Amino acid sequence: MIVALRGTQSASDADRSLSVIADRRKSMKPPFSADDRPSAVSEAKLTSTPLDQALCVLLNDEIARTLSIETFVEMLSTGTAGLASLANAKAVAEGRLLEKAIAVIAASNPALKILTQIRLPIRDAALELIEQNDPALYSHIAMEANERTRRTYTVDIILVDLEKQIAYLVDVKRSLASFEAARIVELRQRMLAAALVTADILWREHKRLSVREVRVVILEASGRRTDYDHGVWAFDALDHLVGVTGAAAMIDRLRSAFATRVEANLEQALDRVVATRIASRSASERSDYLDPRDRRQRSGNDGEEGCGGTITDPQAQSCTPAIGIAPRPPVH
């Protein structure tokens, strides 16, 4: 999805920008041309490189901060509410890790300027323009961002190709499986509305960064709702997007390591919780089977003073509470 900003595109540029998949059933990989790749494509080895080490640091930090064994133990000890929090915490942590990892990988390409978590205003006029018009009618329009508005869009990552003067607004999603089609359309429209003011924001607030084109990309890790015609990309296209060969493979390895670490921490947390429950139950059972004389000594009475203390005499039937169904409430 493209919003061209400054100057007029040639026919060949327009054709190349609007190229689509010839046969999506044969391959899920997009048919990107070499000319459309980011500048200064770099080769990233998948061994113990500084880039791998940086990703490892991100993984360790995220696990320690939100998904440690101690955190899992606390969640598992709070019942169903804790279980719900556990599932949500894992999803949020993985999404945050993916955003940071993509930014780190992209930063290894010297031709790119990386900005993260930038809040962009959504002007009412911009959103109306996107919602009510064909893309061809607003693809050469840019707006100033100085108008006050209550609506904003915080973009996960902005990739600026300094040589080609192209900015990518990237929204990273773990999965779009739970998104209804209308919700995806709404997200794309908000991104396009934000794209109309992006050039102005980059120029005024980010050291005169100049772009002639802004493209929006929704990156979906699961690859279940890929739609390159409408800007929804699978992670397979990450190499192309950031201009780093092997980027997608590194993200796959990172996700696998994340899942393994989380599973290991969860298993250890479960072992701790189960061990604690067993120890607690054993202590309780030992208390239940104490000799009656020991009970009398602990309770401070001989068990023959009525119901004032702990009942220890099994023959003391007069103190046994009544049990039954609650009576019908009175009718008013």
Side-chain angles (χ1 to χ4, degrees), residues 165-186:
Q165 293 186 306
I166 298 175
Y168 292 85
L169 304 188
V170 183
D171 195 297
V172 181
K173 299 295 185 188
R174 291 176 59 256
S175 173
L176 293 174
S178 62
F179 280 56
E180 297 180 356
R183 188 177 173 190
I184 298 176
V185 171
E186 180 185 0

Side-chain angles (χ1 to χ4, degrees), residues 119-172:
R119 181 175 295 181
L120 302 171
I122 298 179
R123 293 181 55 177
D124 293 340
L127 191 57
E128 183 178 351
L129 181 67
I130 298 298
E131 292 175 344
Q132 300 182 6
N133 292 278
D134 187 90
L137 298 178
Y138 56 74
S139 62
H140 295 280
I141 295 177
M143 293 184 174
E144 293 184 353
N146 54 6
E147 180 181 301
R148 285 191 176 184
T149 177
R150 290 179 297 176
R151 284 184 287 193
T152 61
Y153 167 69
T154 301
V155 59
D156 294 330
I157 307 170
I158 299 181
L159 307 175
V160 182
D161 190 319
L162 301 175
E163 295 181 16
K164 294 183 177 180
Q165 293 186 306
I166 298 175
Y168 292 85
L169 304 188
V170 183
D171 195 297
V172 181

Side-chain angles (χ1 to χ4, degrees), residues 15 26 95 117 128 142 144 208 238 286 295 309 318:
D15 291 340
K26 294 182 180 180
Q117 297 298 312
E128 183 178 351
E144 293 184 353
R208 297 297 189 263
L238 192 60
R286 287 196 299 272
R295 291 192 178 200
S318 61

Side-chain angles (χ1 to χ4, degrees), residues 28-47:
M28 289 300 292
K29 294 184 178 181
F32 299 118
S33 65
D35 293 339
D36 199 37
R37 297 194 69 173
S39 306
V41 175
S42 59
E43 297 287 335
K45 297 181 180 179
L46 301 181
T47 56

Side-chain angles (χ1 to χ4, degrees), residues 11 22 31 41 45 65 79 86 100-101 103 124-125 132 141 162 167 197 203 205 217 236 254-255 260 272 288 331:
V41 175
K45 297 181 180 179
R65 188 161 68 95
L86 188 154
K100 293 178 180 179
D124 293 340
Q132 300 182 6
I141 295 177
L162 301 175
V197 302
W203 179 260
E205 299 182 8
V217 175
D236 289 345
L254 181 67
R255 295 189 70 199
T260 300
R272 288 189 187 183
D288 290 340
V331 179

Side-chain angles (χ1 to χ4, degrees), residues 205-274:
E205 299 182 8
H206 295 278
K207 299 181 179 180
R208 297 297 189 263
L209 274 177
S210 177
V211 296
R212 62 177 179 82
E213 197 172 314
V214 178
R215 304 176 179 181
V216 304
V217 175
I218 302 172
L219 265 182
E220 187 202 17
S222 70
R224 297 180 182 178
R225 301 288 290 274
T226 302
D227 184 359
Y228 291 106
D229 294 351
H230 297 93
V232 182
W233 294 15
F235 269 42
D236 289 345
L238 192 60
D239 293 32
H240 169 85
L241 180 64
V242 301
V244 177
T245 302
M250 282 188 283
I251 290 295
D252 284 343
R253 284 204 350 245
L254 181 67
R255 295 189 70 199
S256 177
F258 174 82
T260 300
R261 290 279 300 278
V262 170
E263 188 67 22
N265 283 1
L266 180 57
E267 288 182 0
Q268 292 187 53
L270 284 170
D271 289 343
R272 288 189 187 183
V273 171
V274 170

